[in-house]
């Protein structure tokens, strides 16, 4: 499985779709101040015409000597974003990169020709997820830019899209031929194509028509099933999310099953790539897709519970590992195939967590490039909390009660961090010995991680050999 998750969130990107900025006390109409307020420092105009590329034109309110981007994406932009030969060049700078004229002169416009093809990026959503019928999902977060440093890559970007004869879906709305919005924070996915969404159990879904019918039907049920499971526990959502499932139209021959996906506010998306998706598939061979959808569904309820307040990378074990634990708990109540898969995932996480923590402390895993430890170790921690609280309450309470208490404290203004989460667990009934062991695992470098993990599981009443 080649599923990739973005740095800092799997899906916890914040998005606001709005017009150009205003103020509480607007300047008189037509004044220089009001014109400046309506003029974004950088705007992007994307044209999707026939062929396998888009034309992207950046326009700047004032000339600049460089346009800055973050993160650098392992050189993806320099490889694929092409300007007129010899006119511009890409330069790596710190945690980002910039594009500048080769003669060093300032510029106010930058035109780029960008191929619409899937690029697997490490811990980052791809800019394009093409569909087999010619449609494409465009991730706006990859295009956000700054006219000057510092640049986080989350600064607002005014975007217009032109695609003659196509439907453009963005911000929960669909329009013909053109659309305009402001991409903020981590951005959003924009659909450009001709497919009509299919309403299914509280979702609007666009699923690639080339997907095998048995898999298509299963995917249209898998995510809604997880949403129903969590809604029964946490209450229904107030939104109707979108589901996008795209199938790479040009997979390299002989490649296996791979995927990348995640969540953004109001969206779940997954891109399937590799030649293996075009061969006959048994549902038992892709049960990891059910895990993926259960994990992403859990993020919707985490986010809804906290009004989109999520902690930093160093605390990702709470929401990423927590989402894996939530997935494990609901999937245990389904078929034997899914229960067996959950058992295998837990065993693999135990091994990977112990090995990873021999090299780095969990609270430093993100900085060390070992973000996956937040999933693996975080799931074990959350499941230990679940087992410990259930045992202490005679089955009356669980991880879900811990989550609800934690979400409520975050909504009330308590910081999203390990201390707050573990305090919510303690107040829900987590035992002192298990709490002490978890605190050590999450906050310090361990001399013997495997022993500490097994101690945590035993203290919670779990069998480390068969969790």
């Amino acid at each position: 499985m080649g599923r990739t998750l973005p740095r800092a969130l799997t899906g916890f990107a914040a998005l606001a779709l709005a017009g150009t900025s205003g103020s509480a006390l607007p300047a008189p109409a037509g004044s220089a101040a009001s014109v400046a307020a309506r003029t974004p420092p950088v705007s992007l105009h994307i044209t999707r015409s026939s062929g396998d590329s888009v034309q992207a034109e950046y326009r700047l309110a004032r000339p600049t000597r460089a346009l800055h981007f973050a993160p650098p994406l392992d050189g993806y932009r320099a490889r694929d974003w092409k300007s007129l030969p010899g006119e511009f060049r890409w330069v790596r700078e710190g945690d980002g990169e910039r594009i500048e004229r080769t003669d060093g002169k300032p510029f106010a416009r930058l035109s780029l020709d960008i191929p619409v093809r899937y690029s697997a990026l490490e811990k980052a959503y791809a800019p394009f997820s093409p569909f087999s019928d010619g449609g494409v999902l465009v991730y706006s977060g990859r295009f956000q830019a700054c006219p000057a440093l510092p640049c986080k890559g989350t600064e607002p970007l005014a975007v217009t899209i032109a695609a003659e004869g196509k439907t453009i879906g963005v911000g929960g709305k669909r329009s013909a031929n053109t659309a305009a919005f402001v991409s903020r924070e981590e951005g959003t996915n924009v659909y450009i194509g001709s497919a009509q969404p299919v309403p299914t159990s509280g979702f609007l879904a666009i699923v690639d028509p080339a997907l095998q019918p048995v898999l298509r039907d299963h995917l249209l049920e898998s995510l809604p099933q997880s949403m129903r499971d969590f809604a029964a526990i946490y209450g229904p959502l107030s939104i109707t999310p979108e589901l996008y499932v795209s199938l790479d139209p040009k997979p390299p021959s002989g490649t296996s099953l791979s995927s990348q996906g995640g969540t953004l506010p109001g969206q779940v998306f997954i891109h399937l790539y590799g030649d293996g998706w075009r061969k006959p598939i048994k549902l038992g061979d892709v049960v990891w897709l059910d895990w993926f959808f259960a994990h992403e569904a859990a993020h919707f309820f985490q986010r809804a519970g906290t009004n989109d307040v999520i902690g930093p990378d160093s605390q990702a074990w709470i929401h990423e590992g927590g989402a894996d634990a939530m997935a494990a708990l609901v999937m245990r109540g389904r078929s034997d195939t899914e229960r067996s898969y959950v058992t295998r995932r837990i065993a693999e996480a135990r091994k990977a967590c112990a090995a990873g923590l021999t090299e780095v402390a969990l609270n430093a895993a993100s900085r060390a490039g070992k973000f996956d430890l937040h999933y693996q170790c975080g799931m074990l921690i959350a499941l230990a909390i679940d087992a410990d609280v259930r045992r202490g309450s005679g089955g009356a309470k669980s991880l879900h009660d811990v989550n609800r208490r934690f979400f409520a404290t975050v909504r009330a203004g308590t910081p999203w961090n390990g201390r707050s989460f573990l305090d919510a667990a303690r107040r829900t009934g987590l035992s002192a010995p298990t709490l002490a062991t978890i605190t050590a695992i999450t906050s310090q470098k361990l001399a013997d991680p495997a022993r500490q993990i097994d101690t945590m599981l035993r203290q919670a009443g779990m069998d480390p050999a068969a969790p």
Side-chain angles (χ1 to χ4, degrees):
M1 178 175 65
R3 173 168 164 255
T4 306
L5 294 158
R7 182 179 61 85
L9 62 173
T10 306
F12 277 92
L15 170 70
L17 296 175
T20 53
S21 60
S23 65
L25 297 173
S31 70
S34 67
V35 172
R38 294 195 305 269
T39 304
V42 184
S43 61
L44 173 65
H45 303 262
I46 295 177
T47 303
R48 173 76 160 128
S49 54
S50 59
D52 295 328
S53 66
V54 299
Q55 289 69 52
E57 183 180 71
Y58 284 93
R59 302 175 186 173
L60 296 102
R62 296 182 179 84
T64 183
R65 293 189 181 276
L67 197 57
H68 306 268
F69 297 82
L73 305 179
D74 299 321
Y76 156 75
R77 295 188 186 92
R79 290 191 302 270
D80 273 22
W81 294 22
K82 303 301 182 183
S83 60
L84 291 176
E87 190 172 344
F88 285 86
R89 64 187 174 196
W90 289 91
V91 179
R92 178 71 182 266
E93 54 180 12
D95 293 331
E97 59 190 343
R98 69 179 184 268
I99 188 170
E100 61 188 15
R101 286 180 59 100
T102 54
D103 60 11
K105 294 181 179 180
F107 60 94
R109 293 203 177 195
L110 169 64
S111 296
L112 298 162
D113 188 76
I114 307 175
V116 175
R117 60 188 175 210
Y118 177 73
S119 297
L121 304 176
E122 183 69 20
K123 304 304 178 190
Y125 294 148
F128 300 105
S129 296
F131 288 70
S132 63
D133 62 356
V136 63
L137 206 60
V138 181
Y139 175 43
S140 70
R142 293 285 79 91
F143 294 86
Q144 289 167 198
C146 313
L149 292 175
C151 187
K152 297 180 179 179
T154 58
E155 290 77 1
L157 176 67
V159 182
T160 60
I161 296 178
E164 188 66 29
K166 302 297 183 182
T167 296
I168 303 170
V170 60
K173 299 180 180 180
R174 293 166 62 83
S175 60
N177 303 320
T178 62
F181 66 102
V182 175
S183 180
R184 302 179 189 273
E185 296 298 334
E186 297 295 331
T188 189
N189 276 310
V190 182
Y191 174 75
I192 304 174
S194 302
Q196 293 295 316
V198 178
T200 172
S201 279
F203 271 83
L204 289 178
I206 291 182
V207 179
D208 200 295
L211 203 62
Q212 298 176 39
V214 64
L215 185 56
R216 173 187 173 89
D217 293 344
H218 180 69
L219 293 184
L220 287 174
E221 174 55 28
S222 182
L223 181 58
Q225 179 180 4
S226 292
M227 298 295 287
R228 290 192 297 270
D229 290 341
F230 290 128
I233 299 168
Y234 294 94
L237 297 175
S238 60
I239 61 171
T240 301
E242 301 168 335
L243 167 63
Y244 294 100
V245 182
S246 51
L247 181 64
D248 198 340
K250 297 179 180 180
S253 178
T255 51
S256 59
L257 308 179
S258 296
S259 70
Q260 182 195 57
T263 60
L264 292 167
Q267 300 176 330
V268 178
F269 52 96
I270 185 168
H271 182 67
L272 309 176
Y273 60 102
D275 192 43
W277 291 107
R278 300 182 185 276
K279 300 174 183 177
I281 292 175
K282 297 179 181 179
L283 293 181
D285 296 334
V286 291
V287 67
W288 53 267
L289 281 174
D290 297 285
W291 178 275
F292 167 82
F293 282 127
H295 175 103
E296 302 305 338
H299 281 326
F300 276 115
F301 290 88
Q302 290 173 328
R303 183 165 57 241
T306 62
N307 295 334
D308 280 345
V309 177
I310 300 299
D313 278 8
S314 61
Q315 308 296 309
W317 60 269
I318 302 172
H319 58 267
E320 297 297 3
D324 269 358
M326 291 168 67
L329 293 175
V330 297
M331 287 179 65
R332 276 175 171 171
R334 299 178 187 172
S335 68
D336 289 341
T337 299
E338 288 176 290
R339 280 192 291 274
S340 297
Y341 179 78
V342 169
T343 299
R344 187 168 77 249
R345 286 292 293 243
I346 295 173
E348 291 171 351
R350 174 172 166 261
K351 182 178 179 181
C353 178
L357 293 185
T358 60
E359 302 176 16
V360 65
L362 184 57
N363 60 9
S366 298
R367 296 194 303 273
K370 297 183 177 296
F371 193 79
D372 283 352
L373 289 177
H374 289 292
Y375 295 85
Q376 298 149 352
C377 303
M379 177 177 68
L380 297 176
I381 291 166
L383 289 176
I385 289 173
D386 178 76
D388 189 279
V389 169
R390 286 179 191 268
R391 183 178 61 174
S393 65
K397 295 180 180 179
S398 69
L399 174 66
H400 303 306
D401 295 279
V402 174
N403 285 340
R404 280 190 288 262
R405 185 186 294 272
F406 176 58
F407 296 161
T409 63
V410 172
R411 286 198 309 273
T414 300
W416 175 295
N417 57 32
R419 179 179 297 179
S420 301
F421 178 70
L422 293 179
D423 184 62
R426 178 188 61 79
R427 293 169 62 196
T428 309
L430 181 65
S431 68
T434 305
L435 173 60
T437 304
I438 292 174
T439 300
I441 291 173
T442 58
S443 63
Q444 58 188 252
K445 184 74 166 61
L446 304 174
D448 189 350
R451 182 180 62 81
Q452 289 281 70
I453 292 167
D454 288 353
T455 296
M456 173 186 70
L457 297 176
R458 281 193 294 269
Q459 288 170 333
M462 300 171 64
D463 182 358

